[in-house]
Amino acid sequence: MSLSLILRGAVRCNAANLVKSARITPLKAYSSLVANAQRQVKPLVVAKAVAPVVRREISVSAPRMAAAEGNHTMLWTIERLVSVGLLAVIPAAFIAPSQVLDALLAVSVVIHTHWGVEAMVVDYLRPSVVGNVLPKVAHIGLIVISVAALGGLFYFIQNDVGLANGIKRFWSIKGKQQ
């Protein structure tokens, strides 16, 4: 009996229908039950409105955009893979110098440096502290410097001795003997 009562009420998805279908109370008692339930419901009290918080939005930085879109863990993972990859690329470029390893070294070093300086720009040039213009100018300047550095390294790799051999030659320069 009780199972059929529950199932009938569940089908109708309403407690009032459950009480009606079970015919537990007469109609008059049911009306007073509903009236009592309505009287016991307290009105919802809404707190006073607080002044809205003003937030300055800046969306030129990769960490900010990644946080806004939600998948910033992928960027963090890529940053760590590049950092670990540098541990293998740097010795390999000096042991067996080639244009491919030089290019891989150039891209890895520039992107690693770019992400590091970008983190400093985002952390220390917050719009709430220095205004909206300076963080944007600093980030655009960082992008220009990173692209110029990568272009210069590619030019050096293609038209000169290469990155690893150039560093080896620089290290072999001896100062004047006194």
Side-chain angles (χ1 to χ4, degrees):
M1 170 69 179
S2 63
L3 182 61
S4 67
L5 181 69
I6 291 171
L7 290 176
R8 280 189 286 174
V11 169
R12 294 184 180 126
C13 300
N14 190 338
N17 286 336
L18 177 65
V19 171
K20 272 185 180 177
S21 66
R23 300 175 202 269
I24 295 173
T25 59
L27 186 59
K28 189 174 184 182
Y30 174 73
S31 307
S32 65
L33 180 68
V34 171
N36 287 337
Q38 287 175 349
R39 272 188 244 130
Q40 290 177 358
V41 174
K42 295 180 181 177
L44 178 65
V45 178
V46 179
K48 288 185 178 180
V50 180
V53 177
V54 178
R55 289 179 29 193
R56 296 180 185 167
E57 295 294 326
I58 179 170
S59 63
V60 295
S61 70
R64 179 79 166 179
M65 289 186 296
E69 293 178 11
N71 192 7
H72 54 277
T73 55
M74 180 62 79
L75 178 63
W76 186 87
T77 304
I78 293 170
E79 288 173 354
R80 297 309 166 263
L81 289 174
V82 168
S83 298
V84 170
L86 276 169
L87 295 173
V89 170
I90 292 171
F94 286 101
I95 292 170
S98 68
Q99 283 190 343
V100 173
L101 284 175
D102 283 346
L104 189 59
L105 178 64
V107 169
S108 299
V109 167
V110 169
I111 195 73
H112 180 76
T113 305
H114 175 83
W115 282 331
V117 175
E118 182 184 39
M120 289 188 287
V121 167
V122 170
D123 286 347
Y124 295 113
L125 294 178
R126 292 187 305 266
S128 62
V129 176
V130 297
N132 282 334
V133 177
L134 190 58
K136 291 179 183 179
V137 169
H139 194 267
I140 290 169
L142 173 63
I143 291 171
V144 168
I145 290 171
S146 296
V147 169
L150 189 59
L153 289 173
F154 280 159
Y155 180 82
F156 187 72
I157 291 167
Q158 188 67 34
N159 297 322
D160 210 334
V161 295
L163 191 58
N165 286 331
I167 293 171
K168 283 181 184 178
R169 285 186 180 183
F170 180 75
W171 283 342
S172 67
I173 297 174
K174 297 191 181 185
K176 292 182 180 180
Q177 299 293 330
Q178 293 181 357

